[in-house]
Amino acid sequence: MQKLDNSRNFNWCSLVYVILYFCYFSSALQLYIALSGHANFSGLRDSIIYSLIWLVPILFFPNITKKYAAIYGLVIGGLSLISIGYFTIYRQEFSQSVFFVMAESNFNESHEFIAQYLSIKLIAVLLIYSLFGIFLWFKVKPIYVKNMTKWLVSIVIVVYALMPLFISVVIKKTSFERATEHLLLRMETTVPWQLVTSYLAYRSQLSNMEDILNHLQTLPEFENLTDANGNTPRTLVLVIGESTTRNRMGIYGYERDTTPLIEQFKKDNPGFVVFNDVVSSRPYTIEILQQALTLADEQHPDLYLTKPSLIHLMKQAGYKTFWITNQQTMTKRNTMLTMFSQQADEQYYMNNDRNQNSRQYDSSVFVPFRNVLDDPAEKKFIIIHLLGTHIKYELRYPEGDEYQRFNDKSGLTFDLDDDKLAVYNSYDNAVAFNDFVTTKLFNLFKENDPNGFMLYFSDHGEDVYQTAPHEVLGRNEKAPTRVMYTVPFMLWQSPKWLANHPNDFQSYVNRKFSTQDLIHTWSDLAGLSFNDYQPERSIVNKDFVQPIRWIGDPHDKKGLTDFDKLAK
């Protein structure tokens, strides 16, 4: 009797191993990211979807399974080592921002990078990762299914993979170009699309940024610029926070003790000034910095395109300029931030993560700040851009009891549902960690014994269930609340600086000010004067004139609102 050949029968175990193998090189990292709390599970979902596409050929041609899987492992597995290695070193996902930083690095910097990070830990991680991939390859066997099943499964995989494109075009009615961008964004978790889409996005955003920079280089300099401090050595620091409302800071009267460190710094340093009534004109980072860092304002919102910026001003005054940022760099939304940073002489990009909603702590700016403070330039201007208390708030501070200080309803003057309470508490915890970061920066500056000053403000606020009836989360220019616009504004002047610049700024702390006029205040503090400088718009000038503090979208005919007329 002839023996039956069972080798071509369908085997569930073989299917499981094949799926594990083809998903492994993208989904293993995403699984770790999700389980460790570094980001949510959306990356894992997308990596599985776009890895399954590779199964289609072996469904139709099972005899090539082993060779096909070997080539896949060598190519895709090899490329995935880049992502694994990068995450092991930086705890960040590979993104288009990495291409930007790589392009800005020279050979010596690359050599130093390899020498510094080629550690036993990195080698061990890559070796274990590779060995498990090889183990899965040995388990891979052909899958034999009926013709109808082949077609049905393949169609389901392809349709599900292209579903974001269909939803964007057909249901959301977006353009095919924008729908394609959305699809590529979904594929960004998966090798090799991760590298391909990151590179294409980098090239696109780089082109946009270069167009803006080329335009800015044609702008005229500030006319009749004078510096009252001459060539005196000095260091001036501007720290820009993110999404931090002063209404949730203990130093501004909030019921919870979220800012004990900066309050102690204020007690110990008489030159520390806390301004009590400063607002942002816009509730969005890009839009407010287009005003705060330039001569643009709510009445003239496009001046940032025709007038030079604060960075240009300081360079023209003879300062060496630095930009240290923990914000994402080369994303489509953040191209303007990168454009501002590229105006500086030197840049330090600390956050190259693919996902904004990931754990990237502002403590990463400490080391580059120390390095820049030690730079031999006699006149230094340093901008530090923090990630602050940006949503998701629970990702803005390290895990552990030390940083999760607020876990219940203590200190609240109103009631919240449990789900809202968790978010409310995580925001306060983020504010508390931001207190640690900003105070550390002030102390690092102080320890350097500088002749200069440091100014800290937040780009905008955030309403986290604070405004009655406690339903609002985030910020919305079309439905503004006061909390979205109220920001901290704090200044520390060193003893050396105060010795030559005595002042009575403490008498100005209750002035009503908008950060759209920051460039005038900064110029006043730095002793700079030029044709467009307006002393009446500086909060520290004796000739300050109380303005109407407009908020809202200046490009909307009915978009502007007087902040002081918002309901309290």
Side-chain angles (χ1 to χ4, degrees):
M1 181 181 291
Q2 187 177 3
K3 244 176 139 180
L4 290 174
D5 182 9
N6 294 323
S7 63
R8 290 180 175 269
N9 292 340
F10 175 75
N11 186 289
W12 281 104
C13 186
S14 297
L15 177 63
V16 170
Y17 274 117
V18 165
I19 291 175
L20 283 175
Y21 178 76
F22 282 94
C23 290
Y24 174 70
F25 298 111
S26 295
S27 301
L29 177 59
Q30 292 300 324
L31 177 62
Y32 176 81
I33 287 171
L35 293 178
S36 65
H38 182 81
N40 58 32
F41 282 86
S42 61
L44 176 62
R45 174 203 64 199
D46 292 339
S47 68
I48 293 173
I49 293 171
Y50 296 105
S51 294
L52 289 177
I53 292 175
W54 297 103
L55 292 180
V56 174
I58 62 173
L59 290 177
F60 286 92
F61 307 103
N63 292 334
I64 68 169
T65 297
K66 207 67 177 179
K67 292 181 180 179
Y68 176 79
I71 295 172
Y72 176 86
L74 290 172
V75 177
I76 305 303
L79 291 175
S80 73
L81 292 175
I82 299 173
S83 303
I84 296 295
Y86 188 81
F87 187 85
T88 302
I89 294 170
Y90 287 109
R91 308 298 292 176
Q92 297 177 1
E93 290 186 74
F94 195 89
S95 69
Q96 64 200 67
S97 300
V98 180
F99 277 106
F100 177 75
V101 175
M102 289 168 59
E104 293 296 305
S105 301
N106 56 37
F107 174 79
N108 289 333
E109 290 171 336
S110 300
H111 178 76
E112 291 170 358
F113 169 84
I114 295 172
Q116 180 175 354
Y117 291 110
L118 189 58
S119 63
I120 294 176
K121 175 186 175 181
L122 176 61
I123 294 172
V125 168
L126 295 180
L127 182 60
I128 293 171
Y129 172 80
S130 300
L131 288 175
F132 192 77
I134 293 171
F135 165 77
L136 289 176
W137 178 78
F138 277 109
K139 293 292 184 177
V140 168
K141 295 179 181 179
I143 303 171
Y144 297 97
V145 293
K146 297 178 180 179
N147 283 335
M148 182 175 294
T149 304
K150 296 176 185 179
W151 284 101
L152 182 61
V153 171
S154 299
I155 290 172
V156 169
I157 291 174
V158 173
V159 168
Y160 200 66
L162 295 177
M163 188 66 69
L165 187 69
F166 175 82
I167 292 174
S168 297
V169 173
V170 178
I171 298 177
K172 296 184 178 180
K173 306 296 182 182
T174 59
S175 67
F176 184 77
E177 181 181 3
R178 293 194 63 182
T180 303
E181 289 178 358
H182 177 61
L183 178 63
L184 292 175
L185 188 64
R186 292 282 297 271
M187 296 174 69
E188 202 176 17
T189 61
T190 313
V191 183
W193 318 120
Q194 180 185 61
L195 301 175
V196 174
T197 58
S198 293
Y199 178 75
L200 292 175
Y202 156 70
R203 292 302 309 176
S204 174
Q205 302 314 317
L206 181 63
S207 176
N208 293 340
M209 186 185 71
E210 287 176 342
D211 289 343
I212 298 173
L213 285 172
N214 289 335
H215 169 71
L216 292 177
Q217 289 174 359
T218 66
L219 298 180
E221 293 187 332
F222 289 90
E223 296 181 2
N224 298 320
L225 174 63
T226 60
D227 185 349
N229 295 299
N231 293 319
T232 305
R234 54 196 181 273
T235 300
L236 311 183
V237 183
L238 176 63
V239 181
I240 304 172
E242 167 73 53
S243 302
T244 305
T245 177
R246 69 168 181 264
N247 294 59
R248 301 288 283 270
M249 301 174 69
I251 196 170
Y252 281 103
Y254 180 52
E255 297 84 357
R256 284 179 161 179
D257 188 19
T258 54
T259 56
L261 300 178
I262 203 66
E263 291 178 58
Q264 187 61 49
F265 187 89
K266 180 184 179 184
K267 292 176 183 177
D268 297 339
N269 296 275
F272 191 73
V273 186
V274 178
F275 293 90
N276 296 322
D277 199 355
V278 177
V279 302
S280 170
S281 55
R282 305 291 300 273
Y284 311 116
T285 301
I286 307 299
E287 285 75 7
I288 182 55
L289 293 187
Q290 285 174 350
Q291 296 182 14
L293 298 182
T294 73
L295 290 164
D297 55 34
E298 290 288 76
Q299 304 296 321
H300 312 90
D302 296 324
L303 276 182
Y304 74 94
L305 294 172
T306 58
K307 295 281 188 177
S309 69
L310 177 62
I311 301 97
H312 285 131
L313 173 65
M314 301 305 285
K315 292 177 74 171
Q316 188 179 334
Y319 287 78
K320 184 175 181 180
T321 55
F322 304 84
W323 187 287
I324 304 170
T325 180
N326 193 37
Q327 295 264 340
Q328 287 178 300
T329 49
M330 290 295 290
T331 65
K332 184 174 183 178
R333 170 67 177 160
N334 287 354
T335 300
M336 185 59 68
L337 292 182
T338 310
M339 181 276 294
F340 276 125
S341 72
Q342 283 292 292
Q343 295 174 35
D345 295 311
E346 292 187 12
Q347 304 82 21
Y348 295 81
Y349 300 109
M350 311 311 297
N351 184 353
N352 301 304
D353 214 315
R354 178 190 65 83
N355 193 343
Q356 179 93 310
N357 293 330
S358 59
R359 291 192 181 277
Q360 176 62 24
Y361 307 127
D362 281 330
S363 51
S364 65
V365 305
F366 295 158
V367 171
F369 185 44
R370 288 191 186 98
N371 294 338
V372 169
L373 287 174
D374 291 335
D375 188 280
E378 292 193 340
K379 295 166 65 175
K380 297 192 287 284
F381 172 52
I382 306 166
I383 292 182
I384 303 174
H385 194 186
L386 303 175
L387 198 51
T389 57
H390 193 286
I391 200 169
K392 294 182 171 183
Y393 316 120
E394 68 271 18
L395 301 179
R396 300 297 155 244
Y397 52 91
E399 297 176 292
D401 294 340
E402 179 183 357
Y403 300 101
Q404 293 176 321
R405 295 165 49 191
F406 305 101
N407 300 296
D408 52 32
K409 296 184 178 181
S410 58
L412 266 67
T413 58
F414 50 87
D415 192 40
L416 279 176
D417 297 335
D418 288 344
D419 57 337
K420 292 180 181 177
L421 179 64
V423 177
Y424 190 94
N425 284 334
S426 66
Y427 184 76
D428 281 348
N429 287 325
V431 173
F433 187 70
N434 186 68
D435 177 53
F436 159 71
V437 171
T438 53
T439 306
K440 179 70 173 180
L441 291 173
F442 277 113
N443 277 313
L444 288 174
F445 186 53
K446 178 183 177 181
E447 291 164 7
N448 197 253
D449 191 26
N451 175 39
F453 59 84
M454 175 185 285
L455 177 65
Y456 163 74
F457 78 101
S458 180
D459 56 358
H460 53 76
E462 193 101 329
D463 196 337
V464 184
Y465 302 125
Q466 191 163 10
T467 301
H470 312 294
E471 298 290 339
V472 177
L473 176 62
R475 46 210 146 82
N476 183 353
E477 205 161 47
K478 299 298 183 182
T481 65
R482 296 177 71 88
V483 181
M484 298 175 189
Y485 295 88
T486 53
V487 295
F489 199 84
M490 306 177 185
L491 171 70
W492 182 71
Q493 303 157 92
S494 72
K496 288 181 180 179
W497 185 265
L498 282 173
N500 295 305
H501 303 82
N503 57 70
D504 189 26
F505 291 169
Q506 294 291 353
S507 64
Y508 300 156
V509 296
N510 292 319
R511 285 177 166 178
K512 298 178 182 296
F513 180 71
S514 171
T515 55
Q516 69 169 9
D517 292 331
L518 176 71
I519 194 170
H520 301 286
T521 294
W522 185 269
S523 300
D524 205 348
L525 289 168
L528 302 177
S529 180
F530 48 93
N531 283 3
D532 289 317
Y533 162 64
Q534 299 177 45
E536 67 275 14
R537 297 175 68 174
S538 165
I539 194 174
V540 296
N541 196 282
K542 62 181 178 59
D543 296 324
F544 176 75
V545 176
Q546 172 62 55
I548 296 176
R549 295 187 293 180
W550 296 113
I551 61 171
D553 183 358
H555 296 99
D556 184 340
K557 291 182 179 180
K558 298 181 180 179
L560 297 186
T561 302
D562 182 349
F563 172 82
D564 293 297
K565 293 183 179 179
L566 282 181
K568 293 185 179 180

